[in-house]
Amino acid sequence: MNIPGVIASELKIDESQVKTVINLFDDDATIPFIARYRKEKTGGLDEEQLRSIEERLTYLRLLEERKETVLKTIEEQGKLTDELKARIVAAMKLQEVEDLYLPYRPKKKTRGTLAKQKGLEPLALFIIDNPNFEGDFDAEVNKYINEEKGVTSYDIAINGAKDIIAEMISDTAEVRQIVRDILWDQAKLVSEQSNKAKDGKIKNKRDVYKVYHSFRSGLRRLKPYQVLAINRGEREKFLKVNLSFNYPYVLQEIYYGYFPYEESFAMDILKDAVTDSFERLIYPSIEREIRNELSSVADEHAVEIFATNLRQLLLQSPISDKVIMGIDPGYVSGSKVAVIDATGKYVEGHTIYPHEPQKRTAEAKAKILDMINNHNVELIAIGNGTASRETELLVAEIIKENDLSIHYLVVSEAGASVYSASKVAKQEFPDLEASQRGNISIARRVLDPLAELVKIEPKSIGVGLYQHDVDQKYIARKLDDVVVSCVNYVGVDLNTASSSLLTYVSGLNKRIAGNIITYRESNGKFAKREQLLEVPGVGEKIFEQSAGFLKIPDSTIPFDNTFIHPESYEAVGKLLEVCNVAPEEIKEKVEVIKMYVEHKGKEEVAETVGLGVPTLEDILENLEKPGRDPREEMPDPILRQDVLKIEDLEPGMVLKGTVRNIVDFGAFVDIGVKQDGLLHVTQITNDKNKHPLEVLNVGEVIEVAILEIDIEGGRISLGSPIEVEEEEEVTEE
């Protein structure tokens, strides 16, 4: 198989590009490195295209390995024909290879193999090969009665022959494909309430599966979230699930697909064998295959949504250079309060008890005010868990009563408890209890979301749906890819980055990240990127892959605080030389450099200094904005000084809110009350083919209008402010 050609055709890119990327992968180059620093070689392929190439390359190489194993095994059996070899070689799916291999796969004891051991295979072949037989069939069968082999009667002989025929039918790739195609095209997935649920033997508090108590849908029309919900309901034994299809039609198609004739003297025997083959051998495996495929597609869809949400969450704009107070709210065990300075360093922490059952409100207010004044706190971050709104009210009262100019915001605390009990947290704060670490994490999530959230297992961060229902290895791999992409997109400060953050840098791993921290602690700050080569474990290859993503703001070399790779420093020096600009003059004379390039033309300048045009363009961008944080372009979170209750809401009210989570059917928006409101997909876009993710981003600040409020159920329906205004105009008319 020409793997580069296949991938190029599928992805609609040039085969030479794919070959180049494969060579880079085989040379241990990472996707972030290739995407940023090998644009000339790849033709500017982005990370998404590179990941697609990587995924297909892995699959197709696995396919080729499996083909080799199957061909070798069949050849060793002396059964490999030219036709079979050609079919296996031409197969483009693992399932095709496995179907073709099925008749030759070493079998455990089956009814068919046991019948063959009893010498009944010739009888089975006689029945198949002689449809027009007109002789004494009973006499033919009696030839195979052999008490020593356990064939003591006519019926045993016939049933054994049926077992062999059933297995022969099941082992035929064409037959399995016929069944597969019919079921995919015509079958419906049916779910209903299980008998245990009906009898009350298992309880479902909110009856979350009610919509699936009488549900049917064509397989190709199933929505991913429906598949995941049904799978969960079945797993928890609340639902009973099966496929509904035209049973007689399937049996008929199996018969015509296997036997080359319509009539036979042994039609009853053949029909019995077809039925047995389908019910006992074909259908269970094809049904399992279909359910697995549905789950796999649903998993992939759910994980893609989760990954997109995670990327948007990680790339939220940091609120830097502020002293921040983090509060992890709680009732019985109290609320944990911590202050961090502008660098994220922990300063002071306490536990207060402002809520039930202790209700030491005055004492709590005094402690918070004291910490605000002592440390010049500029912003308060409140976790959105238990007692969040009560804590928000408390903070709003403190701000109002003391005429403070500070603001607060509510932060997702998903994963904070996971972090607080983690090895990373224990290393950072060995003298603090686990309960005192979560509030520090909440504060740091505001100061630098990416740097803090990378310390938490991605699936614990709390964006997306059904993250615990999908393939856990798959979701871990995909979300890890997202974190790697985000960290390298933003870059990290080599002198302040934690081990957790460094681990995700292109070319690095936990061991080398730890070595960098150790080196930093022993030798002080890195003065230039080149010092990385002094770190144990960092050779030329690792340096090549990682250096461009590791920034040093106060380096003696100005390019060390940019994404300009050290391999291009010489070329940048030539560029400055032809522009007559000294390195220390770059900031003041960057326009001179740009004008020179524009005047001469990018192609000519690139050739003169020994670069490709894409790399030259990237260098110019970095010279113009050294140390730029790409997250600065993201919207700032909403800062509040007063609290809003659900009882304060009225239909038609327009508010600003923060998108917290995006799913297939809409987006959940934090509008400053206890419960996030749901902005249904129909309120987001009129285009049925557009997913909410194509319109909104997690962390985005949007205007929404209140449509409906269910105070008792804690539900808020949101809509577009424009549509609400139009409805009001129509009503007035």
Side-chain angles (χ1 to χ4, degrees):
M1 183 195 300
N2 176 15
I3 290 178
V6 171
I7 296 174
S9 175
E10 290 175 351
L11 301 181
K12 296 180 172 53
I13 55 180
D14 194 81
E15 187 174 337
S16 63
Q17 290 175 285
V18 179
K19 286 180 178 177
T20 298
V21 172
I22 291 174
N23 289 335
L24 287 166
F25 283 152
D26 289 342
D27 195 32
D28 295 327
T30 68
I31 285 176
F33 175 80
I34 297 170
R36 188 179 285 273
Y37 298 115
R38 292 295 178 263
K39 292 177 180 177
E40 285 86 0
K41 285 190 174 184
T42 69
L45 296 178
D46 60 30
E47 284 195 22
E48 189 175 335
Q49 291 170 306
L50 292 171
R51 291 199 191 282
S52 296
I53 293 173
E54 183 183 48
E55 287 175 7
R56 288 301 287 154
L57 176 65
T58 302
Y59 180 87
L60 293 174
R61 281 180 169 173
L62 180 65
L63 176 63
E64 289 300 281
E65 287 176 14
R66 185 58 181 155
K67 285 180 186 179
E68 287 181 18
T69 301
V70 167
L71 287 169
K72 184 180 178 182
T73 304
I74 299 174
E75 189 170 29
E76 287 172 352
Q77 295 175 13
K79 298 177 181 178
L80 185 63
T81 64
D82 290 342
E83 181 189 357
L84 178 58
K85 182 177 180 179
R87 291 181 69 187
I88 292 172
V89 169
M92 291 302 295
K93 291 183 179 180
L94 282 167
Q95 187 61 60
E96 292 177 54
V97 176
E98 298 305 330
D99 280 354
L100 292 167
Y101 179 48
L102 198 56
Y104 311 97
R105 183 192 295 275
K107 291 183 173 65
K108 296 178 182 178
K109 284 187 178 181
T110 65
R111 282 164 47 175
T113 57
L114 290 173
K116 286 179 181 179
Q117 290 172 11
K118 293 176 180 179
L120 295 172
E121 187 173 19
L123 175 59
L125 294 174
F126 178 85
I127 294 169
I128 293 172
D129 296 337
N130 297 280
N132 301 317
F133 179 71
E134 295 179 353
D136 186 348
F137 182 60
D138 288 354
E140 192 66 33
V141 174
N142 288 334
K143 294 178 185 177
Y144 297 93
I145 294 177
N146 184 328
E147 291 195 10
E148 288 183 8
K149 292 184 176 182
V151 185
T152 57
S153 67
Y154 176 94
D155 287 342
I156 289 175
I158 290 295
N159 288 333
K162 286 181 185 178
D163 289 340
I164 293 170
I165 296 170
E167 208 162 275
M168 291 170 68
I169 295 170
S170 172
D171 284 351
T172 305
E174 290 83 357
V175 168
R176 298 183 81 83
Q177 192 57 48
I178 286 169
V179 175
R180 195 177 284 121
D181 290 343
I182 292 173
L183 293 183
W184 272 112
D185 290 339
Q186 299 178 18
K188 295 185 184 302
L189 187 79
V190 178
S191 72
E192 56 186 318
Q193 194 175 21
S194 68
N195 291 331
K196 282 188 176 181
K198 286 178 184 175
D199 298 341
K201 291 180 180 177
I202 53 175
K203 303 282 185 188
N204 184 353
K205 288 182 181 178
R206 293 185 295 140
D207 204 8
V208 293
Y209 302 113
K210 187 175 182 180
V211 68
Y212 300 110
H213 286 178
S214 181
F215 177 88
R216 14 183 341 112
S217 171
L219 299 181
R220 299 192 190 279
R221 297 183 63 187
L222 279 163
K223 301 283 193 303
Y225 70 85
Q226 292 173 329
V227 173
L228 292 171
I230 289 169
N231 286 353
R232 181 192 285 178
E234 182 181 34
R235 190 167 56 251
E236 293 177 354
K237 305 194 184 310
F238 288 107
L239 299 176
K240 184 168 63 175
V241 185
N242 57 66
L243 299 184
S244 172
F245 52 90
N246 188 333
Y247 182 85
Y249 175 72
V250 174
L251 297 183
Q252 173 187 298
E253 290 302 300
I254 292 174
Y255 180 90
Y256 290 131
Y258 185 80
F259 298 108
Y261 41 77
E262 292 187 15
E263 296 294 330
S264 169
F265 81 96
M267 186 62 79
D268 289 344
I269 293 174
L270 296 181
K271 284 186 175 179
D272 285 349
V274 166
T275 301
D276 178 49
S277 180
F278 175 70
E279 291 182 349
R280 182 169 58 87
L281 302 171
I282 300 173
Y283 179 67
S285 65
I286 299 293
E287 182 198 29
R288 187 165 55 250
E289 179 190 314
I290 286 173
R291 292 290 304 276
N292 286 341
E293 177 67 17
L294 287 171
S295 298
S296 177
V297 171
D299 280 5
E300 187 174 338
H301 178 77
V303 171
E304 285 300 328
I305 289 176
F306 199 149
T308 303
N309 282 339
L310 176 63
R311 181 178 183 82
Q312 293 169 359
L313 183 66
L314 292 176
L315 293 180
Q316 283 187 109
S317 178
I319 300 180
S320 54
D321 300 323
K322 288 192 181 295
V323 177
I324 300 172
M325 174 182 286
I327 304 179
D328 186 1
Y331 289 115
V332 177
S333 58
S335 297
K336 316 301 177 185
V337 187
V339 174
I340 60 169
D341 67 16
T343 67
K345 181 183 176 183
Y346 170 67
V347 178
E348 182 183 0
H350 296 281
T351 301
I352 57 175
Y353 300 90
H355 314 307
E356 298 289 352
Q358 292 93 337
K359 210 165 175 59
R360 288 149 54 183
T361 308
E363 179 187 316
K365 283 184 175 181
K367 176 52 70 177
I368 289 176
L369 184 61
D370 187 49
M371 293 172 74
I372 290 172
N373 292 330
N374 287 345
H375 304 292
N376 296 316
V377 171
E378 299 166 88
L379 186 64
I380 300 175
I382 303 169
N384 67 342
T386 305
S388 173
R389 290 310 172 191
E390 292 84 349
T391 304
E392 186 182 355
L393 182 61
L394 180 81
V395 169
E397 287 175 355
I398 293 171
I399 292 172
K400 190 173 182 179
E401 290 167 2
N402 297 278
D403 196 23
L404 301 176
S405 60
I406 67 173
H407 292 75
Y408 73 83
L409 74 164
V410 177
V411 180
S412 170
E413 63 178 43
S417 59
V418 175
Y419 161 76
S420 62
S422 69
K423 185 178 179 182
V424 173
K426 290 173 185 175
Q427 288 173 342
E428 284 192 290
F429 307 108
D431 299 327
L432 295 181
E433 294 179 7
S435 60
Q436 281 286 0
R437 299 173 188 141
N439 46 350
I440 301 172
S441 177
I442 289 169
R444 284 179 169 179
R445 290 181 190 199
V446 177
L447 189 71
D448 190 336
L450 179 60
E452 193 61 26
L453 291 172
V454 293
K455 300 173 185 175
I456 303 164
E457 188 181 20
K459 67 181 181 183
S460 298
I461 291 176
V463 286
L465 288 176
Y466 300 105
Q467 56 260 42
H468 301 295
D469 297 302
V470 300
D471 183 314
Q472 295 302 293
K473 287 184 179 178
Y474 176 61
I475 192 172
R477 188 177 73 252
K478 290 292 286 186
L479 297 186
D480 205 54
D481 286 345
V482 172
V483 179
V484 167
S485 175
C486 291
V487 169
N488 290 284
Y489 172 70
V490 173
V492 306
D493 186 330
L494 183 56
N495 283 321
T496 61
S498 66
S499 178
S500 300
L501 196 58
L502 288 168
T503 299
Y504 288 104
V505 171
S506 167
L508 303 186
N509 54 35
K510 282 185 178 180
R511 180 179 61 83
I512 294 175
N515 290 348
I516 290 173
I517 300 294
T518 303
Y519 179 92
R520 208 166 64 193
E521 290 171 350
S522 302
N523 300 278
K525 288 185 175 182
F526 286 87
K528 53 186 178 179
R529 280 172 168 166
E530 196 177 344
Q531 280 180 264
L532 271 169
L533 289 166
E534 299 173 13
V535 175
V538 177
E540 292 292 340
K541 187 68 185 177
I542 290 174
F543 180 81
E544 175 198 62
Q545 295 295 308
S546 63
F549 303 99
L550 298 167
K551 298 179 181 180
I552 306 176
D554 50 358
S555 171
T556 54
I557 301 171
F559 314 137
D560 279 356
N561 192 34
T562 71
F563 280 113
I564 299 172
H565 198 284
E567 66 186 10
S568 299
Y569 284 4
E570 186 179 340
V572 179
K574 288 182 182 178
L575 175 64
L576 295 178
E577 189 179 323
V578 297
C579 294
N580 198 26
V581 174
E584 62 271 14
E585 298 177 317
I586 293 173
K587 190 174 181 180
E588 293 78 20
K589 294 188 176 182
V590 69
E591 289 301 322
V592 173
I593 301 170
K594 287 170 63 181
M595 287 171 63
Y596 177 85
V597 173
E598 190 176 336
H599 174 69
K600 287 288 187 180
K602 290 178 183 177
E603 290 78 9
E604 183 181 331
V605 175
E607 188 176 348
T608 300
V609 301
L611 293 171
V613 172
T615 300
L616 175 63
E617 290 173 341
D618 286 347
I619 286 171
L620 290 172
E621 183 182 341
N622 278 272
L623 290 177
E624 185 176 12
K625 298 177 180 177
R628 182 182 74 91
D629 188 333
R631 296 173 295 173
E632 292 169 0
E633 299 170 5
M634 298 294 287
D636 290 330
I638 296 175
L639 304 181
R640 306 181 188 278
Q641 283 194 309
D642 205 354
V643 72
L644 188 67
K645 301 175 186 175
I646 193 170
E647 290 82 4
D648 299 330
L649 301 180
E650 294 178 3
M653 186 182 285
V654 176
L655 299 166
K656 279 192 175 182
T658 304
V659 178
R660 291 294 183 202
N661 198 3
I662 301 173
V663 292
D664 289 338
F665 50 83
F668 292 98
V669 183
D670 177 2
I671 56 172
V673 297
K674 188 169 186 177
Q675 181 66 41
D676 288 347
L678 174 62
L679 185 65
H680 194 265
V681 62
T682 53
Q683 298 289 332
I684 297 172
T685 175
N686 292 324
D687 187 343
K688 292 182 179 179
N689 296 317
K690 268 193 175 182
H691 193 279
L693 279 168
E694 297 178 65
V695 184
L696 297 175
N697 294 318
V698 168
E700 184 176 351
V701 176
I702 60 173
E703 273 200 346
V704 291
I706 308 298
L707 296 183
E708 293 180 28
I709 309 140
D710 175 4
I711 295 177
E712 190 176 329
R715 297 187 190 92
I716 306 165
S717 296
L718 305 175
S720 162
I722 297 172
E723 290 186 10
V724 171
E725 287 173 14
E726 288 175 351
E727 285 180 17
E728 288 175 353
E729 286 174 11
V730 171
T731 305
E732 287 172 7
E733 289 175 7

